[in-house]
């Protein structure tokens, strides 16, 4: 189906890319503005892949004439309201065009934000008896008794003075499902739905529901004296299901009750799915990154086999998700991101069978595997580019971006790559074929340079893989992160903000408590509560943390990634004290005490779900002293400073934990404003001492975790 996908929620003046899905490069596609607000003069271009920029607030319908019929796409535009507020993104195209010369962005730097940011919204769907018990349809039948109910829970921005009751909600029924319902002879769900008086729920009789009905919504806030601010959209689907399949799912202990809803025994069977919810398994996932060309220090062509041999050792650490840097045929640069053949593995690593055996070995040890997917560029040694660069009339010329100088478009002055032109149907067809080649073998994609690729492509990728496997993970490298990329694109986002702040703390440039500010920023800039974040202190692009900040700070920073809400990642070698960024891992010189520390952290996190992404985070009061308990009065001294320490609470309803992190090179004693036990859950030993004033203090080296008591 060539329909361009889900509805778009934009600000006036914001540009989004429009593209037919699953395109035939030899076919013709034509866009038009089918409906628009009366004052609008917005248009679309004549190319198959084009752009649209709403010029006034309101609802637009964009038409696509494609080989499989005519399709309509709804665009809801809101008055531009983001002056002075960091709400970057929502559109990959807009991000790419921020600087026409592709000037270098400070990689990994924290971007400040000002003012009040976006609200947030969550959608949930149920199938229930129609209100009043009467018929909700025009005729007797299944619509007589039941309705699909989609409820929105809007939440003000944490910095907003508004109450949740003051937020509005805008619902949009997916145009693809309207089209399908009409084709099936059902009532148009857009005509059949009604919104409850409070604007918080949408009710649709089930006789208007096709095989799948998707509903999208945003929360809208209007601060006094300000224009409106719009949330990242959330979405739910209601799907007709076979009752026997639902029964099987109910018997599966791993089924997520938040994603599957049973319905009454007499009516039609439905399943409800929260479309932007990360895979259920990521709630307790731990990622281990392998830089494939130096991880095992293998001979030419033997890397896959050597990595597979170390799978048991990796699994014993306690991690459960393996991210492999690119494994495809490349131009000879060791990082592998300059690809020359997207359909074959690199000869210097091994062959296809050996790669698949590596994936199978990981699966056999209970580990999932992430494929590093490069969609932004090819190597300049790629056959397309070699032909296009030599010949201005080459059929491949339009598959790349070009500068006025005649050189290819790139980012960061990278000289060995050429940016692909995602407005070219051959490029889109090619990349979709790459997805189809590798997605069936693995459990998710880590998407390289996601910020540089238009959102229309990522939305199509998501629908393509999630329609086959809802638990397929999509993780974006978007630095700094962008809230809009959780809108029908990615599940988990690189948290470069936390990474940067942990580096600042390790350098002594910021207080340890600022890591909590980094976590708070997620909601402050508009990420929904269900968004996931990858937490790391180093990777193949960064200097090892301990090299820059020292061993003591590295131990605390590593502990932070396992105790703050998110998905922790270990970069291969981090767990043994490796100092070289991309050097061969010095396995024979492993520091056992560092590995032991990581094993304890992984085990503690696994035993206590409150430390996971779904556990709450709260600040607690605390007072820091050095290790000398005889001080009068107790103040920081020696190698411990109050700014080296932070304490916080993690809770999930079942238990409440107090976590203390110490970045100083010496042991600290910390009194917290909470009653707690005396046993450190990480070491299993008592960690509480009493100072000269009779105050109980938690003695902490790099991290201590204790249970809070009532």
């Amino acid at each position: 189906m060539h329909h361009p996908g889900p509805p778009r929620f934009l600000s006036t003046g914001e540009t989004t890319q429009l593209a037919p899905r699953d395109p035939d490069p030899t076919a013709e596609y034509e866009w038009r503005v089918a409906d628009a607000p009366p004052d609008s003069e917005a248009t679309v271009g004549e190319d198959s892949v084009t752009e649209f920029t709403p010029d006034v607030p309101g609802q637009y319908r964009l038409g696509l004439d494609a080989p499989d019929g005519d399709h309509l796409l709804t665009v809801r535009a809101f008055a531009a309201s983001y002056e002075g507020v960091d709400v970057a993104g929502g559109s990959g195209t807009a991000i790419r065009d921020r600087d026409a010369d592709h000037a270098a962005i400070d990689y990994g730097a924290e971007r400040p934000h000002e003012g009040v940011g976006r609200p947030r919204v969550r959608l949930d769907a149920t199938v229930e008896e129609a209100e009043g018990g009467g018929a909700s349809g025009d005729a007797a039948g299944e619509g007589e008794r039941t309705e699909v109910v989609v409820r929105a829970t809007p939440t003000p921005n944490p910095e907003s003075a508004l109450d949740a009751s003051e937020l509005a909600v805008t619902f949009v029924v997916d145009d693809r499902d309207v089209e399908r319902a009409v084709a099936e002879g059902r009532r148009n769900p857009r005509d059949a739905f009604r919104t409850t008086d409070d604007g918080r729920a949408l009710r649709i009789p089930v006789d208007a529901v096709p095989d799948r009905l998707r509903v999208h919504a945003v929360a809208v806030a209007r601060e006094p004296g300000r224009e409106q601010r719009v949330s990242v959209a959330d979405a739910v689907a209601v799907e007709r299901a076979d009752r026997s399949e639902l029964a099987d799912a109910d018997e599966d202990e791993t089924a997520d009750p938040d994603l599957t809803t049973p319905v009454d025994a007499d009516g039609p069977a439905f399943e409800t799915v929260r479309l932007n919810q990360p895979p259920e398994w990521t709630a307790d996932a731990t990622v281990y990154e392998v830089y494939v060309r130096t991880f095992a220090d293998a001979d030419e062509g033997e890397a896959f086999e050597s990595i597979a041999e170390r799978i048991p050792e990796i699994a014993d650490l306690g991690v459960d998700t393996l991210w492999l840097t690119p494994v495809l045929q490349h131009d000879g640069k060791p990082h592998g991101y300059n690809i020359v053949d997207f359909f074959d593995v690199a000869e210097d690593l091994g062959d296809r069978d050996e790669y698949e055996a590596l994936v199978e070995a990981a699966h056999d040890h209970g580990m999932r595997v992430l494929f590093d997917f490069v969609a932004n560029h090819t190597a300049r040694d790629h056959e397309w580019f070699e032909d296009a660069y030599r010949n201005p009339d080459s059929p491949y010329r339009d598959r790349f971006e070009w500068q006025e100088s005649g050189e290819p478009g790139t980012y960061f002055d990278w000289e060995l790559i050429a940016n692909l032109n995602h407005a070219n149907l051959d490029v889109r067809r090619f990349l979709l074929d790459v997805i189809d080649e590798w997605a069936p073998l693995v459990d998710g994609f880590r998407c390289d340079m996601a910020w540089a690729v238009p959102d229309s492509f990522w939305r199509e990728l998501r629908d393509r893989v999630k329609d086959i496997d809802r638990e397929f993970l999509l993780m974006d490298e978007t630095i700094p992160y962008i809230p809009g990329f959780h809108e029908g694109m990615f599940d988990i986002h690189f948290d470069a903000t936390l990474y940067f702040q942990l580096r600042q703390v390790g350098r002594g440039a910021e207080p340890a408590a600022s890591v909590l500010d980094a976590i708070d920023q997620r909601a402050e800039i508009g990420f929904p509560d269900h968004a996931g974040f990858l937490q790391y202190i180093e990777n193949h692009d960064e200097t090892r943390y301990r090299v820059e900040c020292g061993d003591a700070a590295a131990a605390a920073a590593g502990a932070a990634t396992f105790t703050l809400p998110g998905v922790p990642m270990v970069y291969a070698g981090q767990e043994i004290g490796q100092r070289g960024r991309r050097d061969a891992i010095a396995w024979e010189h492993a520091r056992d005490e560092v590995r032991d520390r990581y094993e304890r952290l992984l085990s503690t996190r696994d035993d206590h779900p409150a430390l996971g992404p779904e556990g709450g985070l709260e600040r607690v009061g605390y007072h820091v002293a050095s290790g000398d308990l005889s001080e009068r009065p107790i103040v920081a001294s020696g190698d411990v400073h109050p700014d080296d320490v932070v304490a916080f609470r993690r809770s999930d309803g079942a238990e409440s934990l107090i976590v203390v992190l110490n970045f100083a090179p010496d042991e600290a004693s910390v009194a917290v404003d909470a009653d707690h036990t005396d046993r450190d859950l990480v070491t299993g030993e008592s960690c509480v001492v009493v100072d000269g004033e009779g105050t109980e203090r938690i003695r902490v080296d790099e991290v201590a975790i204790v249970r809070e008591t009532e």
Side-chain angles (χ1 to χ4, degrees):
M1 186 178 185
H2 297 307
H3 192 287
R8 307 292 174 86
F9 299 88
L10 303 174
S11 300
T12 54
E14 182 182 7
T15 298
T16 190
Q17 187 185 76
L18 305 172
R21 293 193 166 192
D22 205 17
D24 176 357
T26 66
E28 294 185 0
Y29 301 89
E30 185 175 346
W31 291 92
R32 70 185 188 281
V33 178
D35 190 23
D39 296 333
S40 174
E41 298 180 357
T43 61
V44 290
E46 297 181 355
D47 295 330
S48 297
V49 179
T50 189
E51 294 180 348
F52 178 71
T53 306
D55 55 349
V56 298
Q59 179 170 284
Y60 297 78
R61 292 271 165 74
L62 307 181
L64 172 64
D65 184 10
D68 64 342
D70 189 55
H71 307 288
L72 292 175
L73 174 70
T74 297
V75 175
R76 291 300 302 265
F78 300 87
S81 58
Y82 301 117
E83 184 177 355
V85 179
D86 174 34
V87 291
S91 165
T93 300
I95 295 163
R96 291 164 68 99
D97 291 345
R98 232 185 278 154
D99 187 330
D101 295 326
H102 304 307
I105 298 170
D106 188 5
Y107 185 84
E110 181 181 28
R111 183 193 296 137
H113 68 285
E114 299 176 355
V116 178
R118 300 181 179 196
R120 292 161 290 151
V121 71
R122 174 189 168 107
L123 294 188
D124 293 278
T126 57
V127 180
E128 57 192 57
E129 184 177 346
E131 285 185 340
S136 58
D138 296 329
E142 63 179 10
E144 186 174 35
R145 292 175 291 114
T146 52
E147 291 179 320
V148 169
V149 183
V150 179
R151 291 184 173 85
T153 305
T155 306
N157 187 279
E159 298 179 337
S160 172
L162 296 178
D163 184 76
S165 63
E166 298 176 271
L167 303 181
V169 176
T170 297
F171 292 97
V172 175
V173 176
D174 199 296
D175 301 278
R176 294 168 292 180
D177 304 328
V178 170
E179 185 177 307
R180 188 174 292 109
V182 172
E184 293 175 0
R186 298 182 179 277
R187 285 197 292 165
N188 184 327
R190 187 175 286 134
D191 296 335
F193 82 75
R194 59 188 176 85
T195 306
T196 56
D197 292 341
D198 63 1
R200 295 294 193 268
L202 181 131
R203 306 182 74 95
I204 305 175
V206 295
D207 66 354
V209 177
D211 286 345
R212 176 166 58 175
L213 180 71
R214 287 159 285 196
V215 176
H216 310 255
V218 293
V220 183
R222 189 183 295 275
E223 303 283 337
R226 289 179 173 267
E227 293 181 334
Q228 58 198 6
R229 281 160 167 72
V230 182
S231 72
V232 171
D234 198 16
V236 292
V238 179
E239 302 177 359
R240 291 179 179 266
D242 184 283
R243 285 196 173 279
S244 62
E245 294 179 358
L246 282 180
D248 291 342
D250 290 342
E251 293 174 1
D252 183 356
E253 294 182 358
T254 64
D256 183 357
D258 191 43
L259 302 182
T260 303
T261 301
V263 293
D264 65 271
D266 299 327
F270 292 92
E271 186 176 8
T272 63
V273 181
R274 289 186 23 77
L275 295 174
N276 295 331
Q277 187 78 23
E280 190 272 338
W281 58 268
T282 62
D284 57 4
T286 318
V287 177
Y288 187 89
E289 182 196 356
V290 169
Y291 187 71
V292 293
R293 285 174 175 81
T294 58
F295 176 79
D297 195 22
D299 292 335
E300 182 85 5
E302 297 181 359
F304 290 143
E305 289 185 338
S306 297
I307 295 170
E309 290 174 359
R310 286 202 176 268
I311 289 293
E313 184 177 349
I314 300 172
D316 286 345
L317 181 64
V319 297
D320 56 22
T321 305
L322 196 65
W323 160 24
L324 302 174
T325 56
V327 299
L328 301 182
Q329 195 66 267
H330 61 104
D331 65 354
K333 292 298 178 182
H335 52 68
Y337 287 93
N338 304 347
I339 298 173
V340 299
D341 186 346
F342 285 75
F343 294 94
D344 197 9
V345 298
E347 294 176 354
D348 62 313
L349 300 177
D351 60 27
R352 175 70 174 256
D353 288 342
E354 290 163 344
Y355 169 67
E356 293 188 16
L358 166 58
V359 174
E360 185 176 355
H363 288 165
D364 288 345
H365 284 80
M367 301 178 68
R368 292 177 170 86
V369 178
L370 302 183
F371 178 92
D372 209 324
F373 177 56
V374 180
N376 175 70
H377 56 266
T378 72
R380 295 199 189 187
D381 289 346
H382 192 280
E383 60 181 355
W384 286 1
F385 182 79
E386 289 182 328
D387 189 84
Y389 192 66
R390 291 193 303 264
N391 177 16
D393 297 322
S394 167
Y396 303 116
R397 183 80 178 178
D398 193 43
R399 299 185 187 186
F400 296 93
E401 294 180 352
W402 298 94
Q403 303 177 53
E404 292 183 2
S405 64
E407 294 301 308
T410 63
Y411 293 96
F412 309 111
D413 296 323
W414 288 332
E415 297 180 352
L416 299 178
I417 66 167
N419 287 352
L420 289 165
N421 174 18
H422 296 89
N424 180 285
L425 290 183
D426 288 290
V427 168
R428 298 182 80 95
R429 178 74 269 159
F430 172 82
L431 291 174
L432 293 174
D433 291 344
V434 174
I435 293 167
D436 293 345
E437 178 74 19
W438 300 107
L441 297 178
V442 294
D443 306 284
F445 285 166
R446 177 268 187 187
C447 296
D448 181 60
M449 293 181 66
W451 53 270
V453 176
D455 60 343
S456 63
F457 177 77
W458 294 131
R459 294 176 198 274
E460 182 171 7
L461 181 154
R462 184 180 185 87
D463 283 350
R464 196 175 190 90
V465 297
K466 296 284 188 176
D467 281 350
I468 298 171
D469 180 6
R470 290 176 185 164
E471 293 292 280
F472 193 91
L473 173 64
L474 292 173
M475 181 167 66
D476 67 329
E477 182 206 27
T478 300
I479 302 176
Y481 51 29
I482 298 169
F485 273 38
H486 202 81
E487 186 174 305
M489 289 181 266
F490 296 98
D491 300 305
I492 292 177
H493 316 273
F494 269 49
D495 193 344
T497 298
L498 178 61
Y499 160 81
F500 180 78
Q501 205 59 35
L502 285 169
R503 289 276 172 144
Q504 289 292 84
V505 173
R507 297 182 187 115
E510 296 284 351
S514 65
V515 300
L516 303 182
D517 299 332
I519 301 298
D520 290 344
Q521 184 175 315
R522 298 169 179 173
E524 290 168 1
I525 69 170
F527 275 105
D529 291 338
H530 47 269
F533 297 90
L534 186 74
Q535 302 182 158
Y536 57 97
I537 63 171
E538 55 196 39
N539 59 39
H540 66 275
D541 284 321
E542 309 295 344
T543 304
R544 295 281 184 175
Y545 191 103
R546 67 182 57 255
V547 171
E548 185 172 350
C549 304
D551 283 354
T561 64
F562 284 90
T563 55
L564 291 168
V567 177
M569 186 192 87
V570 175
Y571 177 40
Q574 177 181 331
E575 78 281 16
I576 63 168
Q578 177 85 3
R579 297 181 63 83
R581 182 181 64 167
R582 296 180 179 177
D583 299 348
I585 305 297
W587 299 110
E588 68 279 9
H589 300 294
R591 294 173 56 184
D592 292 338
E593 76 279 8
V594 177
R595 182 179 172 97
D596 290 345
R597 183 186 305 132
Y598 274 99
E599 288 181 353
R600 290 196 302 268
L601 283 169
L602 281 153
S603 177
T604 303
R605 185 177 183 275
D606 188 54
D607 291 340
H608 299 277
L611 296 173
E614 297 180 2
L617 173 67
E618 296 178 275
R619 297 170 189 253
V620 297
Y622 59 95
H623 181 270
V624 182
S626 71
D628 183 358
L629 298 178
S630 65
E631 293 176 2
R632 298 282 199 284
I634 297 177
V635 295
S637 65
D639 290 327
V640 180
H641 188 279
D643 285 348
D644 294 330
V645 176
V646 61
F648 50 90
R649 175 184 291 110
R650 299 298 313 279
S651 56
D652 65 353
E655 68 175 346
S656 180
L657 307 175
I658 300 297
V659 180
V660 185
L661 299 173
N662 174 25
F663 289 79
D666 201 1
E667 191 177 67
S669 297
V670 184
V672 297
D673 293 343
D675 295 329
H676 54 81
T677 61
D678 65 356
R679 186 172 68 88
D680 180 2
L681 298 177
V682 180
T683 64
E685 300 175 355
S686 175
C687 62
V688 172
V689 294
V690 179
D691 66 23
E693 300 294 331
T695 300
E696 286 192 346
R697 293 182 176 273
I698 299 172
R699 176 155 281 182
V700 53
D701 191 352
E702 71 277 351
V703 60
I705 305 174
V706 295
R707 284 191 175 91
E708 186 174 13
T709 58
E710 296 182 358

